[in-house]
Amino acid sequence: MNIKPAASETGDPLLLTPGPLTTSASVKQAMVHDWGSRDQGFIAINKMVLEKIVELAGGQGTHVTVPVQGSGTFAVEAMITTFVPKSGKLLVVINGAYGQRAKKIAEIAGRAVATYETPEDTPPDLARLEKILVDDKAITHVFAVHCETTSGILNPIVEIAALVKKQGRRLLVDSMSAFGAIEIDARNVHYDALAASSNKCLEGVPGLGFVVCRNAALAECKGNATTLVLDLFDQAEGFAKTGQYRFTPPIHVIVALGKAIEEHAAEGGVAGRGKRYRENATVLIDGMRAMGFRTLLPNDLQAPIIVTFHMPTDPKFVFQRFYDGLKDRGYVIYPGKLTVADSFRMGCIGRLNADHMRGALAAVREVLDEMRVTNGGPALAAE
Ligand SMILES: *Cc1c(COP(=O)(O)O)cnc(C)c1O
């Protein structure tokens, strides 16, 4: 190994993954205190965090952030089961694992479900989506994923929102891996609810999901929920009455998220964060292509969040050796789980910059050399 292993500010390997991801030392440092959950100091920090998230969403005066203890999926499940009434029907737009997961959530909750599925490298066709809504009047809600992290594809959420509104239906958005880095402004994009979490583009630590809810829509949701803990209506009512969580909040996570949001603002908000991630993605994609690797997605479908590469077909390439070699050099990547292609993924988000991506490329080169792989491409016949 010729290069010195890369490390985060706290000496850990860099996470080129879709989250949890590398966070700043200052975000981690924010957690080394204790707060009482009923303490005014904590209640004030939590209030600030929830208000800042509404601002980031462009929802001041019209929307409210309702947090949910747990990972992002807890927020997605809370969103679906709070907003879709028992008599409702949810159309799930699927092109990856997170769309599939939403379908499963709705089914377990006993909601009527329809799906519109396209392959993992294909965005939904808007005319087809519109026809489904026109033909099935029972559909009350549509669920769509903003950036489908399975492949890294950017779905046309603005167009989907306009179409759903035109057809008089309600939209639920999973913007988990995009919120904070790819603009989605509630003043232009009409939705009932949008779910995201502490540990993706906001660069906090894992443990808090949240749902940005349109006030008028949330007001109609009393009694919809099929669980106690994931009832966003009840959770919101608790905050309105006392400013407090109904059940123990992940206090350290929330305080760290407050710090992370401060750093997000200092970087220039959504525009600044998105710019750094786009640079990371460009450096990564150009460098990998120069070594022969092929991306699953063309540039125009690629979100600057996570990049899927076809597995090289050179028989000397052994993925486990590749993974371990990169890990030894301080870079943790992500095995793929696509149905359309044998692949692996490298993330561009978290406390990473273009120099880190160049370091990762140098590590890839070294590991390929060690395996005597000269070209990272998939054989054309394998497609
Ligand atoms: C990360 C992610 C989630 C939530 O996953 P958790 O593991 O529960 O945090 C949901 N949807 C998308 C698109 C994601 O990227």
Side-chain angles (χ1 to χ4, degrees):
M1 203 161 81
N2 298 319
I3 54 178
K4 183 168 155 282
S8 73
E9 292 168 73
T10 45
D12 308 302
L14 298 174
L15 302 177
L16 276 62
T17 60
L21 30 80
T22 299
T23 57
S24 69
S26 36
V27 162
K28 288 185 275 284
Q29 190 62 31
M31 294 189 286
V32 300
H33 299 282
D34 299 309
W35 292 265
S37 62
R38 309 297 186 214
D39 178 75
Q40 282 310 321
F42 167 68
I43 289 172
I45 293 172
N46 181 64
K47 185 164 181 284
M48 182 277 284
V49 166
L50 302 185
E51 283 171 2
K52 289 283 181 203
I53 290 170
V54 164
E55 276 177 39
L56 286 177
Q60 288 134 290
T62 50
H63 293 64
V64 63
T65 311
V66 187
V68 186
Q69 299 97 321
S71 82
T73 305
F74 289 66
V76 173
E77 185 151 357
M79 173 171 78
I80 290 173
T81 54
T82 298
F83 278 87
V84 183
K86 292 175 192 77
S87 60
K89 181 170 182 180
L90 181 65
L91 172 67
V92 184
V93 181
I94 302 176
N95 54 359
Y98 294 101
Q100 296 290 359
R101 189 179 295 176
K103 171 181 179 237
K104 194 167 173 187
I105 288 169
E107 284 172 351
I108 290 173
R111 303 303 197 266
V113 184
T115 57
Y116 168 40
E117 190 167 352
T118 51
E120 286 143 344
D121 56 357
T122 309
D125 177 72
L126 296 167
R128 177 92 191 88
L129 179 58
E130 183 154 34
K131 180 153 191 332
I132 294 170
L133 293 179
V134 168
D135 289 349
D136 188 347
K137 296 289 179 220
I139 294 168
T140 53
H141 292 71
V142 175
F143 174 96
V145 181
H146 190 181
C147 166
E148 183 36 276
T149 324
T150 309
S151 64
I153 196 171
L154 186 63
N155 282 320
I157 202 70
V158 176
E159 291 79 3
I160 291 173
L163 193 156
V164 170
K165 183 165 185 235
K166 178 180 159 209
Q167 290 300 326
R169 316 303 167 84
R170 307 299 189 91
L171 179 66
L172 308 178
V173 182
D174 174 352
S175 185
M176 204 68 61
S177 62
F179 187 78
I182 301 176
E183 187 172 276
I184 175 159
D185 190 317
R187 286 163 291 206
N188 315 320
V189 183
H190 188 80
Y191 57 75
D192 272 13
L194 173 149
S197 76
S198 54
N199 65 280
K200 289 193 174 162
C201 301
L202 293 180
E203 298 188 359
V205 302
L208 191 77
F210 55 84
V211 184
V212 178
C213 306
R214 194 161 59 81
N215 291 325
L218 183 63
E220 299 167 22
C221 293
K222 189 179 172 70
N224 283 353
T226 23
T227 61
L228 173 68
V229 291
L230 298 179
D231 186 343
L232 295 175
F233 183 91
D234 205 39
Q235 183 93 321
E237 220 172 40
F239 283 114
K241 283 191 187 136
T242 65
Q244 296 180 11
Y245 286 76
R246 296 172 300 161
F247 315 115
T248 302
I251 292 191
H252 301 80
V253 173
I254 293 161
V255 174
L257 181 57
K259 182 69 188 164
I261 289 173
E262 226 176 76
E263 294 178 1
H264 181 267
E267 191 175 356
V270 175
R273 177 94 8 130
K275 180 167 178 283
R276 174 161 57 86
Y277 289 174
R278 280 195 298 278
E279 272 169 25
N280 287 352
T282 302
V283 169
L284 177 68
I285 291 170
D286 290 352
M288 291 293 280
R289 283 183 180 154
M291 288 185 270
F293 287 93
R294 286 250 326 271
T295 59
L296 176 78
L297 299 170
N299 289 354
D300 63 331
L301 295 179
Q302 176 72 60
I305 304 296
I306 187 162
V307 184
T308 303
F309 295 98
H310 286 278
M311 206 61 95
T313 40
D314 185 330
K316 294 192 290 304
F317 183 90
V318 180
F319 181 74
Q320 194 60 48
R321 275 190 72 190
F322 184 65
Y323 180 93
D324 293 341
L326 291 178
K327 173 86 190 288
D328 289 343
R329 288 163 176 82
Y331 301 94
V332 176
I333 65 165
Y334 213 65
K337 47 175 178 183
L338 300 194
T339 54
V340 292
D342 192 14
S343 59
F344 66 91
R345 297 179 284 175
M346 294 174 82
C348 318
I349 63 178
R351 212 67 181 166
L352 304 173
N353 58 35
D355 283 336
H356 292 124
M357 304 320 273
R358 283 186 274 269
L361 292 167
V364 167
R365 177 81 268 167
E366 266 201 15
V367 179
L368 290 183
D369 288 347
E370 268 182 16
M371 290 190 287
R372 299 172 189 282
V373 173
T374 51
N375 189 298
L380 292 174
E383 282 166 41

